[in-house]
Structure formats: structure tokens, C-alpha cells
Amino acid sequence: MLGGIPWQVYFQRVLSASSATYAQVLSFLAAFGCLVMAVPSVLIGAIGASTDWNQTSYGAVAPKDRDQADMILPIVLQHLCPPFVSFFGLGAVSAAVMSSADSSILSASSMFARNIYQMAFRQSPRDIVKRVDEMKTMRERPTRPMKMQNSCTTSVYATEYSPPTSV
């Protein structure tokens, strides 16, 4: 719950927000949405914990005693719901898992295509010339030593950097 695949869509929405204010509002709405979306899971867990499993087709021993507490959703759907509800419920869970996995794969491949493939291999000639010119300008620019104090109060020497001027 504190990270991983389910939060992928949240990060995509926040990072693609048109402004910082919109991203902040979206974050507050997402926090409220997470609280609301946690209610069904809590209810299903409570139903599974309080059910008298002797009166169901599951058997006399509760899922908690069989070390199957992590499988409570499919067990509740299969043994406490009508077959059509069980069918659609398990189908919805399967669709959610596939959608989350698909979103993660799509996001990772998009980041790879943009950050590695496009930047390293598929640059336009104009971008390559611009970077070479910037590197030449930085190499030719004279630097002067400058004394700095770091957090440990020891003196360090560095060169003063001035950013390249736009052409």
C-alpha cells in the first residue's frame, strides 16, 4: 500500500499535471479516493473473519486457520456469493491486475524510449550540433579559481561556472 504498481497511475497523473496547483489538488483528491477505495477491502476482510465457515461449502476450518487469509477475497466470492457475482467479481480482479501490469510495462517502455533511445540514438542533427557547440563553448571559456567553504568548514577550491549563452 505504500508504493509499487498501484501507485503508477498516480505518479503519471501528478507528473503530467499542467500546473503545480493542479498537481497538489490532485494529490489531495487521490488521498481522499484512497480512503474511500479502502472501505470495500476492509468490509470483505471483516466478512471473511466473522463468517461461520461451518455453514458454507468451504468446510469447518476457517481460512485464517488454514493459512489462507491472503486468499480471503476469492474465498468469500466463491463460497458466500451467488455464482454470477463470483464470476464478475473474479473477472474484475483479474482485469485490475492485468491493467496495472500493463500500465507499468507501458510506463517503463515510454521512459526507456524517451530517456535512453531517443536521447542517445535518435537525436536530430540539430540537437547533436547544439550539444557539440555547447561543449566547445564550455571548454573554451576561461575559468578562475574560487575559494568556497563547505559544511565541514574546510576550504575547497572550485572553478566558477558560467552557463553558456544561447546562440
Side-chain angles (χ1 to χ4, degrees):
M1 182 160 184
L2 297 176
I5 290 175
W7 296 102
Q8 185 70 34
V9 69
Y10 167 74
F11 290 121
Q12 288 174 348
R13 298 286 186 251
V14 169
L15 293 175
S16 67
S18 59
S19 68
T21 304
Y22 184 68
Q24 188 176 21
V25 168
L26 182 68
S27 295
F28 286 124
L29 290 175
F32 177 72
C34 288
L35 290 174
V36 170
M37 296 305 288
V39 171
S41 299
V42 171
L43 287 176
I44 291 172
I47 291 168
S50 64
T51 298
D52 182 13
W53 292 101
N54 289 329
Q55 298 178 4
T56 66
S57 61
Y58 184 74
V61 183
K64 180 176 57 173
D65 298 333
R66 290 187 186 179
D67 291 329
Q68 292 183 337
D70 56 338
M71 297 289 294
I72 198 66
L73 175 64
I75 292 171
V76 166
L77 286 174
Q78 181 180 3
H79 297 284
L80 299 180
C81 296
F84 69 91
V85 173
S86 177
F87 176 77
F88 285 114
L90 291 175
V93 170
S94 299
V97 169
M98 288 185 285
S99 175
S100 296
D102 179 63
S103 176
S104 294
I105 291 170
L106 180 62
S107 177
S109 64
S110 296
M111 290 176 66
F112 173 81
R114 170 74 174 112
N115 295 339
I116 296 174
Y117 181 72
Q118 184 180 10
M119 293 297 205
F121 302 114
R122 298 293 281 179
Q123 295 179 3
S124 68
R126 183 182 305 152
D127 292 338
I128 294 171
V129 169
K130 183 178 175 184
R131 286 199 179 130
V132 169
D133 288 342
E134 286 176 0
M135 289 172 40
K136 283 182 184 177
T137 305
M138 288 176 65
R139 199 172 348 137
E140 294 169 356
R141 181 175 297 120
T143 58
R144 58 187 176 125
M146 179 174 66
K147 188 174 182 180
M148 299 174 60
Q149 295 288 329
N150 68 8
S151 62
C152 298
T153 66
T154 58
S155 298
V156 293
Y157 286 92
T159 57
E160 187 177 69
Y161 172 74
S162 56
T165 58
S166 59
V167 180

